[in-house]
Amino acid sequence: MDDLKLIMDAAEDRKDLITFMNQQVWSFAEPGFREYKSAEVLIKALEDAGFTVEKVIAGIETAFVARFGHGRPVIGITAEYDALPGLSQECGCNEKKPIAGQAYGHGCGHCALGSGSVGAAIIVSDWLRKTGAEGTIELYGTPAEEGGFGKVFMAREHCFDHLDMCFSWHPGDSNAAMAARLVGNLCVRFTFHGKAAHAAASPQSGRSALDACELMNVGVNYLREHVIDKARIHYAYLDAGGQAPNVVQDHAALLYYMRAPKMYQSREIYGRISDIARGAALMTGTDVDIRIVGGLCDLIPNATAQTILSDAFVATGGPDFDEEDYAIARSFMDILPAEKKAEIIKRGAMMNRISEEEFAARPLNTAVIPFAREQMNMIVTASTDVGDVSYITPTAQVNAATCIPGTPVHTWEHTAM
């Protein structure tokens, strides 16, 4: 029996387990660094499959490493299982409908990412067991990819140093290599401290931290014209000082993300934004504390690793959707504007080499797009802590279709599908 047949048979045998894990992790919808139930489900599946599991990695309670086999090569697979705030949503429902009592949702598909990665590791262990081949598979449970950057802490503790190669994947709307370069990201908190006062009776006695935040944001908006094209700067209020307009707010805080193709470029932008924050504090008579709370490196795709992963994807083929999957997909196509729907159908028909009528009836991508080296010259202005792994060992990823084309991640629609 050839290797491909062994792998495909093992995948069929493990299909129900992978589906169960995905449904469980989706239903738990836990925030980063608190994915206790999700990690437990994944760990149990690995232990039941004969893996040795090491828990609490890099001081993170929900991080783990599961190992099977012996000798080299040592191949890593990363798994993510954290959810996003504000994206609670009923499954399969094509209108926004949060689940009562649940704040988080899997709007980036990490339920499938983690379950699929664990499933892949178990399938490899089945192949090792049946063939007697030498090699070690290591599944890395990596928490808090969304803003917590669990892999960064694990990389700092040298967790990936011994790997010969590392693979991952991500749910999306197509089946293709993720071979573009992703950007670095620096996360910084700016906390302003002022002096409270009655805003009507004695405003001259107050020093507004909220005013400082507002002035800082104005200054950064003027900066945007003067940074490199591929840079991205985002911010959110962590503390707006309170809810009383007749109080001069003595505390307020902002969280900024500073993305750029290389981390040194993010740091340059950080320096300029920090100067703006100090200027805002000077203008308002307040003080500012500046604290880097996180960051991650840009992703460096590896051509050899990407070729291996892409060739395997082409050989196994795209997802095998059933009629229930297509019915859900059609329901989400129905809520799109007619022009957008027509565009998706036309493009999907071309990509899958079928008629527009056929794709309209089954609007999910099943064709696999092979890796092309030209992809490595592209820069996508998104970030992932897989980038830190890519600086340590050859790393590759693929996208696999789990939703209709054009569905943006970090949305309730993505959670629902």
Side-chain angles (χ1 to χ4, degrees):
M1 186 180 294
D2 64 23
D3 288 340
L4 181 58
K5 181 69 164 56
L6 280 173
I7 292 292
M8 297 300 285
D9 287 348
E12 183 64 28
D13 292 341
R14 301 293 187 176
K15 179 175 64 176
D16 290 343
L17 172 64
I18 296 169
T19 300
F20 171 77
M21 289 189 291
N22 180 39
Q23 291 171 340
Q24 287 286 288
V25 176
W26 185 93
S27 67
F28 296 145
E30 296 171 297
F33 296 127
R34 287 184 281 165
E35 315 97 324
Y36 299 107
K37 293 179 182 178
S38 302
E40 184 180 341
V41 166
L42 303 181
I43 288 170
K44 185 180 186 306
L46 290 158
E47 289 178 334
D48 289 348
F51 281 71
T52 301
V53 180
E54 181 184 354
K55 303 174 185 177
V56 191
I57 305 299
I60 305 171
E61 291 183 341
T62 53
F64 63 91
V65 182
R67 299 180 176 89
F68 184 94
H70 63 277
R72 304 202 85 90
V74 182
I75 305 299
I77 301 176
T78 63
E80 299 164 15
Y81 32 91
D82 58 322
L84 284 157
L87 291 181
S88 170
Q89 169 66 23
E90 286 194 8
C91 180
C93 179
N94 70 349
E95 60 178 290
K96 190 173 184 180
K97 194 173 183 182
I99 298 171
Q102 185 170 302
Y104 281 71
H106 277 285
C108 204
H110 290 182
C111 50
L113 196 169
S115 303
S117 291
V118 168
I122 292 174
I123 290 165
V124 173
S125 75
D126 291 338
W127 177 84
L128 288 169
R129 194 180 287 111
K130 289 177 180 177
T131 62
E134 184 170 325
T136 305
I137 185 71
E138 297 190 351
L139 186 285
Y140 288 82
T142 61
E145 190 274 341
E146 300 287 2
F149 316 140
K151 296 181 193 66
V152 176
F153 297 103
M154 296 172 76
R156 187 179 65 184
E157 297 301 315
H158 305 284
C159 293
F160 309 105
D161 288 8
H162 62 289
L163 293 180
D164 293 304
M165 202 166 280
C166 192
F167 298 113
S168 190
W169 77 287
H170 204 286
D173 63 0
S174 63
N175 307 296
M178 293 176 65
R181 295 175 179 270
L182 303 184
V183 299
N185 187 10
L186 198 58
C187 309
V188 185
R189 179 180 178 127
F190 298 88
T191 304
F192 290 89
H193 305 280
K195 182 180 178 183
H198 194 294
S202 57
Q204 71 280 1
S205 301
R207 299 294 183 266
S208 175
L210 184 58
D211 285 355
C213 286
E214 296 282 87
L215 286 167
M216 176 183 170
N217 292 336
V218 170
V220 173
N221 283 336
Y222 278 102
L223 173 68
R224 295 177 196 278
E225 183 184 358
H226 306 288
V227 296
I228 58 175
D229 288 344
K230 292 296 183 181
R232 297 290 185 271
I233 303 170
H234 332 286
Y235 69 91
Y237 276 91
L238 299 180
D239 172 17
Q243 299 180 5
N246 61 336
V247 174
V248 176
Q249 312 293 359
D250 66 347
H251 57 88
L254 297 161
L255 181 66
Y256 265 81
Y257 281 12
M258 304 157 198
R259 303 184 199 255
K262 291 294 180 182
M263 184 53 79
Y264 79 86
Q265 294 168 320
S266 292
R267 291 192 67 89
E268 289 174 355
I269 294 169
Y270 159 68
R272 298 173 73 183
I273 290 178
S274 295
D275 285 343
I276 291 171
R278 295 186 189 100
L282 184 63
M283 284 189 285
T284 55
T286 59
D287 297 314
V288 61
D289 293 331
I290 302 172
R291 181 166 64 93
I292 296 176
V293 297
L296 48 83
C297 292
D298 54 293
L299 185 138
I300 308 172
N302 179 277
T304 300
Q306 197 66 68
T307 299
I308 292 170
L309 188 58
S310 178
D311 288 352
F313 200 3
V314 171
T316 56
D320 186 16
F321 297 111
D322 60 25
E323 285 307 313
E324 183 180 357
D325 297 325
Y326 288 121
I328 293 171
R330 287 193 297 272
S331 75
F332 278 88
M333 289 285 285
D334 289 342
I335 65 174
L336 295 176
E339 185 177 335
K340 179 69 173 177
K341 184 176 179 179
E343 178 188 338
I344 289 173
I345 291 172
K346 182 177 181 179
R347 188 179 303 168
M350 291 176 59
M351 181 179 295
N352 294 276
R353 297 181 180 180
I354 57 178
S355 69
E356 292 187 15
E357 291 75 14
E358 288 176 293
F359 191 79
R362 296 186 166 189
L364 292 167
N365 283 319
T366 56
V368 180
I369 303 170
F371 165 63
R373 278 181 171 266
E374 300 80 56
Q375 293 173 275
M376 296 177 63
N377 297 323
M378 296 171 55
I379 296 176
V380 175
T381 51
S383 307
T384 174
D385 57 9
V386 177
D388 287 75
V389 181
S390 76
Y391 267 82
I392 297 168
T393 189
T395 302
Q397 303 182 95
V398 291
N399 243 321
T402 59
C403 57
I404 64 170
T407 304
V409 296
H410 295 204
T411 62
W412 67 264
E413 294 94 335
H414 204 274
T415 304
M417 279 190 268

